[in-house]
Amino acid sequence: LVGELQLTEKLFDEIAAMSDDANPGEPLGHLRLRFSRLADVGKHYSRKENLLFPFLEQKGITGPPTVMWGKDDEVRAAVRAALEALDYEGEISAGDAKGMIELVLQPAVDAVREMIFKEEEILFPMCLDKLTEAEWYSIYQQSPEIGFCIYDPTDSWQPETLEEASPQTGTGTDRVQFPSGSLNQLELQAILNTIPFDLTFVGADDTVKYFTQGRERIFERNRAIIGRKVQMCHPPGSVHIVQKIIDDFKAGRADHAPFWIQLHGKFIHIEYYAVRDEQGAYLGTLEVSQDLTAKRALDGEKRLLSYE
């Protein structure tokens, strides 16, 4: 985390130097290239929100993470605005380039730099004081699942002393009996991870109990969210929607809540289902997310076997 911040500061210096040298007719290609690297800061924030914050929440520290997540989203928006401005392919004058830098690019840089200050002065000292070495190691192990900002670390790390991990219950040959048949744990896990959509189950106590780990993930999920309150797994700006769905499911006012969004050029369908027992008692909420981009483009029929 600290190494990422140091490299980001170096990138700021490069952007500032190039901004000062903007020439008439220059499409700002080099500046665009540098600034696109700054978009990687989103990975830094995602690791912070999904790996670091859960451990703080377990220790009763919820206020600072919630506030910081909201600020993270503001920084993301500023960086996106800057990248959209730099998407212009035509030639621009030096004056226009300066105006773009002052009105759009500089606010994004300032927002990232302000967050760096808050992390270095507030967040990281708090984490160093509260987190155990084993918890840091858990963050280290799960970090590659999200990715890194600006650079990929090459050095490996393992604490000298680690708390012994809790043994997993059962074996791969233990069978789970259903009314319609049975599966052993290896089969069940493989089936759940093979289905072409993401599943996340939130229990009746609003904590995340399980998520699938398919090959193509739509939204980031890390083992750190297991046992975490679902309200803490969403940006502050959307928590009220999550709470509304859960409240309605619990009260029996609804059983299904569908959404669809455009994300990175893909059509993503998201559905929430109330999970109930045979008597109708609420057991939890199932989130089902699927990339329907290719299926929406289908036409006609396909009756012959072919592998794609």
Side-chain angles (χ1 to χ4, degrees):
L1 289 170
V2 174
E4 287 178 335
L5 299 186
Q6 292 172 343
L7 285 176
T8 303
E9 285 285 5
K10 181 180 178 182
L11 183 61
F12 287 158
D13 294 338
E14 294 178 8
I15 291 174
M18 298 185 73
S19 302
D20 291 339
D21 295 335
N23 297 317
E26 168 63 40
L28 296 183
H30 294 296
L31 183 58
R32 185 185 301 114
L33 177 62
R34 294 295 195 284
F35 217 93
S36 65
R37 293 179 63 203
L38 189 60
D40 261 3
V41 77
K43 298 176 183 176
H44 174 85
Y45 295 160
S46 292
R47 294 209 326 280
K48 179 175 64 175
E49 294 155 358
N50 295 293
L51 299 180
L52 201 61
F53 287 176
F55 287 113
L56 292 177
E57 291 159 12
Q58 291 172 15
K59 301 174 190 300
I61 302 172
T62 59
T66 299
V67 173
M68 187 165 282
W69 196 334
K71 293 296 183 182
D72 287 347
D73 284 345
E74 292 177 8
V75 178
R76 288 183 175 106
V79 173
R80 281 197 302 270
L83 290 173
E84 289 172 3
L86 286 170
D87 248 353
Y88 179 69
E89 295 292 342
E91 295 184 353
I92 60 175
S93 67
D96 289 340
K98 293 290 187 182
M100 179 191 298
I101 291 165
E102 292 176 3
L103 295 176
V104 184
L105 306 192
Q106 192 59 49
V109 170
D110 291 343
V112 177
R113 181 166 276 150
E114 181 181 354
M115 181 56 68
I116 289 176
F117 175 81
K118 291 177 180 177
E119 290 178 356
E120 290 182 331
E121 298 298 320
I122 302 172
L123 179 65
F124 293 155
M126 180 192 306
C127 292
L128 289 171
D129 181 56
K130 299 296 184 180
L131 270 60
T132 67
E133 196 169 52
E135 290 168 335
W136 280 114
Y137 188 57
S138 178
I139 293 170
Y140 165 80
Q141 288 180 303
Q142 296 181 69
S143 288
E145 297 176 18
I146 295 178
F148 298 92
C149 171
I150 309 298
Y151 85 119
D152 288 322
T154 56
D155 296 335
S156 59
W157 172 67
Q158 180 171 327
E160 295 181 1
T161 58
L162 277 178
E163 298 174 5
E164 187 174 348
S166 301
Q168 295 184 353
T169 58
T171 66
T173 58
D174 290 344
R175 303 197 71 80
V176 180
Q177 186 66 48
F178 301 99
S180 56
S182 66
L183 299 166
N184 68 39
Q185 291 186 10
L186 289 178
E187 292 169 337
L188 181 59
Q189 176 174 301
I191 290 171
L192 289 169
N193 289 339
T194 299
I195 55 179
F197 39 80
D198 290 345
L199 299 178
T200 301
F201 178 67
V202 177
D205 60 354
D206 294 357
T207 61
V208 179
K209 304 289 187 182
Y210 169 80
F211 64 92
T212 54
Q213 294 179 292
R215 281 173 288 186
E216 295 186 15
R217 296 220 49 84
I218 296 174
F219 300 111
E220 293 164 354
R221 297 286 188 275
N222 301 91
R223 292 186 299 276
I225 70 171
I226 300 300
R228 191 182 189 189
K229 290 292 183 181
V230 67
Q231 292 86 349
M232 307 303 297
C233 298
H234 291 78
S238 63
V239 170
H240 67 287
I241 299 176
V242 175
Q243 191 63 58
K244 171 66 173 170
I245 293 171
I246 291 176
D247 289 345
D248 287 345
F249 284 0
K250 287 182 176 180
R253 291 188 291 265
D255 287 305
H256 176 224
F259 300 88
W260 47 93
I261 61 173
Q262 301 287 340
L263 182 67
H264 308 311
K266 296 180 179 181
F267 181 83
I268 305 300
H269 197 258
I270 309 160
E271 296 177 280
Y272 295 90
Y273 294 93
V275 179
R276 306 186 189 279
D277 64 17
E278 293 181 356
Q279 288 71 44
Y282 176 76
L283 300 177
T285 294
L286 181 68
E287 179 188 273
V288 182
S289 302
Q290 187 175 14
D291 178 2
L292 293 180
T293 309
K295 291 182 174 61
R296 291 185 84 207
L298 292 176
D299 191 17
E301 297 180 345
K302 180 182 183 296
R303 293 172 176 265
L304 299 178
L305 174 66
S306 63
Y307 298 105
E308 298 179 355

